[in-house]
């Protein structure tokens, strides 16, 4: 999908409303519109990639930065101690709905085992 049409690119550009909890030059973090946990954030790289396969060897630092920011926003949201789950969906079998690489951060309740 072209970046012009991508929902997450539109969120990053401020063309679609979202609740931003963090941003820097590489990542924007928003609350998921359909939360699956009391804390459900989406970490959106500013640059558009479709899946992790697109960034292998190319922008590993950008993906590493997602983990750094995840730890920061987990602290801010009060789930750093209780624990949280980071999820990256890739492709049809994962249920990835939006073709802009992103990381979910979910916490605030006991999460079920991964299925
Ligand atoms: P995925 O299945 O990994 O592609 O996850 C996409 C996520 O984006 C879902 O959890 C949706 O609820 C969420 N989502 C879709 N549109 C928006 C939006 N406009 N603002 C915030 N979250 C969204």
């Amino acid at each position: 999908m072209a970046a012009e049409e991508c929902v997450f690119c539109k969120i990053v550009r401020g063309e679609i409303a979202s609740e931003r909890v963090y941003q820097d030059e590489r990542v924007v973090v928003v609350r998921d519109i359909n939360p699956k946990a009391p804390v459900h954030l989406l970490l959106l790289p500013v640059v558009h990639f479709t899946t992790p396969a697109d960034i292998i060897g190319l922008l590993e630092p950008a993906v590493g930065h997602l983990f750094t920011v995840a730890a920061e926003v987990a602290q801010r949201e009060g789930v750093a101690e209780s624990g949280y789950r980071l999820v990256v969906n890739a492709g049809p079998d994962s249920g990835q709905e939006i073709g802009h690489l992103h990381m979910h951060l979910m916490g605030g309740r006991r999460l079920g085992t991964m299925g």
Side-chain angles (χ1 to χ4, degrees):
M1 178 191 292
E4 297 75 36
E5 304 301 322
C6 172
V7 170
F8 287 167
C9 287
K10 289 182 177 177
I11 288 177
V12 167
R13 292 196 298 262
E15 295 167 11
I16 292 179
S18 64
E19 189 181 343
R20 270 180 204 219
V21 301
Y22 177 94
Q23 68 177 19
D24 64 26
E25 71 281 359
R26 286 180 283 180
V27 58
V28 170
V29 183
V30 301
R31 293 195 192 283
D32 197 291
I33 203 169
N34 184 21
K36 305 290 193 303
V39 174
H40 188 166
L41 305 178
L42 299 172
L43 292 93
L44 312 175
V46 168
V47 179
H48 178 96
F49 305 103
T50 305
T51 77
D54 290 348
I55 55 88
I56 290 172
L58 180 63
L59 281 166
E60 285 179 11
V63 175
H65 186 61
L66 293 183
F67 285 86
T68 302
V69 172
E72 169 64 26
V73 294
Q75 197 78 43
R76 293 185 190 186
E77 295 287 320
V79 296
E81 303 302 324
S82 52
Y84 55 92
R85 179 174 292 160
L86 300 174
V87 175
V88 176
N89 290 321
D93 279 355
S94 74
Q96 182 180 12
E97 296 170 13
I98 299 187
H100 178 126
L101 171 68
H102 56 282
M103 178 184 281
H104 297 253
L105 186 157
M106 288 171 280
R109 69 170 170 83
R110 191 82 177 175
L111 299 167
T113 53
M114 300 284 288

